Amino acid sequence: MENGTKKLNVSSLAVEQPLPKSKLWKIIMVASIAAGVQFGWALQLSLLTPYVQLLGIPHKFASFIWLCGPISGMIVQPVVGYYSDNCSSRFGRRRGFIAAGAALVTIAVFLIGFAADLGHATGDPLGKGSKPRAIAVFVVGFWILDVANNMLQGPCRALLADLSGGKARMRTSNAFFSFFMAVGNVLGYAAGSYSRLCKIFPFSKTPACDIYCANLKSCFFIAVFLLLSLTILALTVVRENELPEKDEHEIDEKAGARKSKVPFFGEIFGALKDLPRPMWILLLVTSLNWIARFPFFLYDTDWMAKEVYGGKVGDGRLYDLGVHAGALGLLLNSVVLGFMSLSVEFLGKKIGGVKRLWGILNFVLAVCMALTVLVTKMAEKSRQYDAHGTLMAPTSGVKIGALTLFAVLGIPLAVTFSVPFALASIFSSNAGSGQGLSLGVLNLAIVVPQMLVSIAGGPWDDLFGGGNLPGFIVGAVAAAASGILALTMLPSPPADAKPATTMGGFH
């Protein structure tokens, strides 16, 4: 026991040493893959809900496509993480999974980008109307893309942990990973907001693929090039045989884990029975928070195109302009998110704790979701037509109001992406639970609401006329309830707890 303690002390002293420059560059290279992955996520969020409607999927069923995100986030990442931990390939534990994920992304992007062309080649009609073959190709590509993105993220984070060699150094690795996620978001939303990107790839426009489809295809060409370039560079620079040897304590732990008869998901659902009360309240507040937020994630650009710009799916000009304006709004949202993420700890101290900050900003989220109704009514009231009776784009005031909502929503989003993870770490430590298992349980409070909204969101909107506002109103109510529970029932963490907030993400 004494020798083991001495070994741990030596190990902990080694953790505090600064990273060598050579290893820091390798960490940066691996973390940069996040920019390629997040570029693809940004394109999904900004462009794909409108695109599936252009292919002929009704609004009330469009949200079902998004079930893949939370399902793959809940299943793929843990499973891939488990098998990469125990992989004995000569290419290394992580690199093979990362390379396979990048290859799958390439296949998925090809299927999504060329869905309309492949559908037409196999019998879909040109022009408006449902395109069942294109829809089938798109759905297959979309599910492969979500699975591949989740397959990439888990091993990338695990490889960063391997390279860091300690919890203290992981803060540096996570900081770089979060930074490149923000870079990917900004680049992805910027690409989605530019309506003439197809001119760079003139071959992208075909009889079956109009300008909107060609822009989407061009965006994904850039996404694949970025991801493959960063992945190939990182996997070339980093060799896993250079990683430090695991100490005997860790080897024994992993050997014990492999002998365990309880599977990963059995552990998670078993842990629910023994959760302390603070964790249950945290799960409830987090679930309501994601019920509030996810409708806007699904339909933000569609809302901008339909309710704000007055466009109709398939009518071209106004709807396309609205989608690109929504992508610009998401770009502003990401910029605000980035700056706010750096201020969460400071603001939490100023107003009496991060749980109070979270509660207050949940009310900000509720107000923003409710204000979508006001912006929509202002847009409808100020509709203008040209001399030929053609509907014009909304007034500058309406545009500014809508874009301001997008930007302000980045403030509570920064807290959603950090505070729940930090509180879960604190509450699990106080209860003697494992960090990984507790964060896995918290993940259920994120993906289950996403699945609920994906299933019920479209039919709920259709019940009240088919627009996006009914789901946004439910989001406003859920956000207000989340704020009330956070302020009144969620326990405050100990004053001396200083968790490293983790940049989370939705699946």
Side-chain angles (χ1 to χ4, degrees):
M1 180 69 69
E2 187 176 347
N3 291 336
T5 305
K6 188 177 292 186
K7 187 174 186 179
L8 288 174
N9 287 339
V10 171
S11 193
S12 64
L13 287 173
V15 167
E16 299 302 324
Q17 295 175 0
L19 280 166
K21 288 185 178 180
S22 59
K23 182 168 286 189
L24 182 62
W25 275 110
K26 291 175 182 178
I27 286 175
I28 292 173
M29 292 309 305
V30 174
S32 70
I33 297 175
V37 175
Q38 206 64 25
F39 191 106
W41 280 124
L43 293 177
Q44 286 181 258
L45 289 173
S46 57
L47 301 181
L48 290 190
T49 293
Y51 183 54
V52 298
Q53 295 179 77
L54 289 172
L55 292 179
I57 299 178
H59 179 278
K60 65 179 179 180
F61 296 128
S63 60
F64 284 85
I65 305 294
W66 287 89
L67 273 172
C68 177
I71 290 174
S72 61
M74 184 170 62
I75 297 175
V76 174
Q77 279 203 43
V79 170
V80 169
Y82 173 80
Y83 282 106
S84 70
D85 281 343
N86 298 288
C87 179
S88 57
S89 168
R90 63 188 179 89
F91 297 107
R93 291 185 299 166
R94 320 293 185 189
R95 294 164 76 240
F97 288 95
I98 295 172
L104 283 175
V105 168
T106 305
I107 295 170
V109 165
F110 173 82
L111 292 174
I112 291 172
F114 288 90
D117 299 305
L118 293 171
H120 175 58
T122 54
D124 279 346
L126 293 174
K128 299 178 183 178
S130 180
K131 301 174 175 61
R133 295 168 182 83
I135 290 170
V137 173
F138 171 85
V139 170
V140 171
F142 187 81
W143 278 71
I144 293 175
L145 181 61
D146 265 11
V147 169
N149 279 336
N150 278 291
M151 187 174 177
L152 269 167
Q153 288 189 72
C156 277
R157 286 188 180 274
L159 183 53
L160 284 174
D162 294 341
L163 288 167
S164 301
K167 292 182 180 178
R169 287 174 177 174
M170 268 302 295
R171 294 180 185 175
T172 303
S173 300
N174 276 326
F176 281 120
F177 197 87
S178 298
F179 170 76
F180 283 111
M181 283 177 68
V183 170
N185 268 336
V186 171
L187 292 177
Y189 292 137
S193 66
Y194 186 56
S195 59
R196 299 180 182 178
L197 202 60
C198 60
K199 292 186 176 181
I200 302 174
F201 306 97
F203 60 87
S204 61
K205 191 173 183 297
T206 65
C209 187
D210 60 11
I211 292 179
Y212 182 88
C213 169
N215 274 318
L216 174 69
K217 194 186 294 183
S218 301
C219 286
F220 275 114
F221 287 155
I222 297 172
V224 165
F225 175 77
L226 178 65
L227 177 62
L228 289 181
S229 299
L230 293 172
T231 302
I232 292 171
L233 188 58
L235 297 186
T236 303
V237 170
V238 178
R239 301 286 180 180
E240 289 188 73
N241 57 8
E242 301 172 4
L243 298 177
E245 294 293 327
K246 305 296 179 184
D247 61 34
E248 294 174 8
H249 178 70
E250 186 172 351
I251 291 173
D252 289 343
E253 278 189 348
K254 290 193 173 180
R258 283 193 292 270
K259 292 176 184 176
S260 174
K261 300 294 184 183
V262 183
F264 177 83
F265 294 105
E267 291 184 36
I268 285 186
F269 289 107
L272 290 172
K273 299 178 182 178
D274 302 317
L275 279 183
R277 184 173 180 273
M279 275 297 293
W280 277 114
I281 298 172
L282 176 62
L283 295 183
L284 179 59
V285 174
T286 303
S287 296
L288 288 170
N289 197 247
W290 277 97
I291 289 173
R293 188 171 295 284
F294 202 56
F296 197 78
F297 272 136
L298 291 184
Y299 295 119
D300 41 25
T301 52
D302 190 60
W303 168 70
M304 195 75 158
K306 284 181 182 175
E307 277 87 352
V308 178
Y309 271 69
K312 295 181 180 179
V313 176
D315 281 354
R317 188 180 65 87
L318 273 182
Y319 188 84
D320 292 353
L321 287 174
V323 170
H324 292 301
L328 175 61
L330 289 170
L331 172 61
L332 297 175
N333 179 279
S334 294
V335 172
V336 173
L337 167 64
F339 282 107
M340 181 62 189
S341 296
L342 302 175
S343 308
V344 169
E345 189 172 348
F346 172 78
L347 291 175
K349 290 178 181 178
K350 287 295 182 181
I351 67 170
V354 289
K355 81 114 178 182
R356 182 176 294 180
L357 175 66
W358 192 20
I360 292 171
L361 290 183
N362 277 338
F363 287 110
V364 173
L365 172 61
V367 170
C368 286
M369 295 297 288
L371 284 177
T372 57
V373 178
L374 177 61
V375 172
T376 299
K377 298 303 179 185
M378 288 172 56
E380 292 173 351
K381 188 176 180 180
S382 61
R383 298 274 190 241
Q384 296 178 354
Y385 297 84
D386 62 16
H388 303 287
T390 303
L391 180 63
M392 299 171 64
T395 62
S396 297
V398 171
K399 290 180 188 175
I400 292 171
L403 291 175
T404 300
L405 277 185
F406 274 90
V408 173
L409 280 168
I411 298 174
L413 184 60
V415 176
T416 299
F417 279 177
S418 59
V419 170
F421 298 91
L423 292 179
S425 296
I426 295 170
F427 294 155
S428 62
S429 295
N430 291 344
S433 304
Q435 294 286 330
L437 196 58
S438 296
L439 294 178
V441 170
L442 180 66
N443 190 56
L444 294 177
I446 297 173
V447 298
V448 171
Q450 289 178 16
M451 288 188 279
L452 177 64
V453 173
S454 295
I455 293 171
W460 172 261
D461 286 338
D462 190 63
L463 186 63
F464 292 92
N468 295 300
L469 295 182
F472 292 176
I473 295 300
V474 171
V477 173
S482 181
I484 292 171
L485 290 175
L487 292 174
T488 59
M489 296 184 64
L490 190 65
S492 296
D496 59 344
K498 297 179 180 179
T501 53
T502 304
M503 179 70 170
F506 88 94
H507 302 284

